[in-house]
Amino acid sequence: MNNLEINLEKKFPNLPNAPIVEAVVHWQAPATVALAEATLKSQLQECFTNYQTKLQYNEEVGLRGNADGFELKQSRNWQGARLSTPSENQPNFVCQFLKNGIVFSKLAPYIGWDNFSSEANKFWTKYVEFTKPTNVSQLSVRYISQIPIQKLDQVGGFIEDVCAPLGRLSLSAGHFFHQDTILLDNHPYKINLVRAVQPATGSSNTLIVDISVSTTTILEDLGQVDDKLNELRFIKNEVFFTLMKEAETKFGAAK
């Protein structure tokens, strides 16, 4: 049984030098009131004066055959708006204010959950005000960490060794990608864990640890969102500090 105890009283260490390059909260919530392309940008600019706002489109180009040859087809569909803090203005927040929900990100450096969730909630509050969703079809938190390494054998200093299927042949991979999906039996949550080593610049590589935790049932009561977020965050922390070796020693002191 995949049972995991959720203890919101448990304290996790603060990591001033955390390797997090992006933290994300994603509310997927079908709107009952359509967003208006003509007015959304001005509404968001008025609400979030510290952000730069751009309308966001999905553009597709393709060829379609007919009796006369080929016809070029282009489509441009409005998706919502993208808001970001200016590059010189920390703390590097980015929000995709979409027609079916909110994707809010904090780019490095990661300051902490209270700062991150407080800012994210401002956008969620406006989304609820503008679109009147009646439920959240999925709620997710995702944390992506990157650690520079020179050689693959350094991975074991940060996480357990993975992806060495040909070790008995004395063959080792230069890079790897390993993904686990775990459904909890005692809670309606799913964990997706990616561990990978990918090429970086020059001769160095990057160890990537990507942890996402999502709900697996629809939240009919919007009042449950904050409680669910706290539980998702707890699971993310439990996974991170279980997976990473001596995280407090390696990342607990600022450089």
Side-chain angles (χ1 to χ4, degrees):
M1 297 288 288
N2 281 337
N3 292 337
L4 179 67
E5 179 186 356
I6 295 177
N7 177 13
L8 298 182
E9 299 300 319
K10 182 175 181 178
K11 302 298 182 183
F12 294 94
N14 180 51
L15 301 179
N17 195 33
I20 298 165
V21 295
E22 185 174 10
V24 182
V25 177
H26 186 185
W27 293 265
Q28 294 184 42
T32 62
V33 177
L35 294 172
E37 179 179 0
T39 59
L40 179 63
K41 184 176 181 179
S42 60
Q43 287 176 316
L44 292 174
Q45 286 176 327
E46 183 178 346
C47 295
F48 302 102
T49 56
N50 293 332
Y51 285 77
Q52 297 174 342
T53 304
K54 296 181 180 180
L55 294 180
Q56 192 167 328
Y57 297 88
N58 181 30
E59 299 189 16
E60 296 182 358
V61 179
L63 291 175
R64 180 179 179 181
N66 55 40
D68 298 323
F70 291 94
E71 180 183 7
L72 181 64
K73 288 286 187 179
Q74 293 180 295
S75 63
R76 191 169 189 256
N77 300 314
W78 177 60
Q79 300 296 310
R82 185 181 188 276
L83 299 93
S84 59
T85 51
S87 57
E88 70 276 4
N89 179 20
Q90 298 292 342
N92 295 336
F93 291 125
V94 178
C95 178
Q96 295 182 70
F97 202 101
L98 306 173
K99 293 187 284 186
N100 63 350
I102 295 289
V103 183
F104 188 85
S105 302
K106 170 67 179 76
L107 306 179
Y110 181 71
I111 298 172
W113 174 257
D114 291 341
N115 172 271
F116 171 49
S117 61
S118 175
E119 190 71 8
N121 193 58
K122 296 176 184 177
F123 290 89
W124 168 243
T125 299
K126 283 300 175 183
Y127 181 82
V128 172
E129 177 185 329
F130 291 168
T131 71
K132 305 293 190 296
T134 59
N135 63 67
V136 176
S137 58
Q138 187 175 75
L139 180 64
S140 305
V141 298
R142 182 182 182 188
Y143 279 67
I144 304 170
S145 297
Q146 293 185 0
I147 302 167
I149 60 174
Q150 294 298 318
K151 298 179 180 179
L152 200 67
D153 58 15
Q154 292 179 300
V155 168
F158 295 97
I159 62 174
E160 75 278 10
D161 290 323
V162 294
C163 293
L166 300 182
R168 293 182 181 180
L169 298 178
S170 299
L171 299 176
S172 60
H175 308 99
F176 68 79
F177 181 94
H178 187 96
Q179 180 172 352
D180 296 299
T181 299
I182 302 163
L183 289 171
L184 297 185
D185 292 314
N186 61 333
H187 296 287
Y189 299 135
K190 175 177 69 174
I191 303 167
N192 192 71
L193 172 62
V194 171
R195 289 155 289 175
V197 169
Q198 302 295 333
T201 57
S203 60
S204 64
N205 296 312
T206 300
L207 169 62
I208 300 169
V209 177
D210 186 342
I211 303 168
S212 62
V213 189
S214 306
T215 57
T216 56
T217 57
I218 295 174
L219 301 181
E220 302 287 356
D221 181 3
L222 297 186
Q224 295 181 334
V225 167
D226 288 344
D227 291 338
K228 294 297 183 181
L229 271 179
N230 286 330
E231 293 186 350
L232 294 175
R233 180 212 177 199
F234 170 86
I235 296 171
K236 181 275 300 179
N237 279 336
E238 191 81 328
V239 172
F240 179 88
F241 284 99
T242 300
L243 175 69
M244 302 296 292
K245 294 180 178 179
E246 301 176 350
E248 192 171 6
T249 299
K250 291 182 172 69
F251 308 113
K255 290 181 178 179

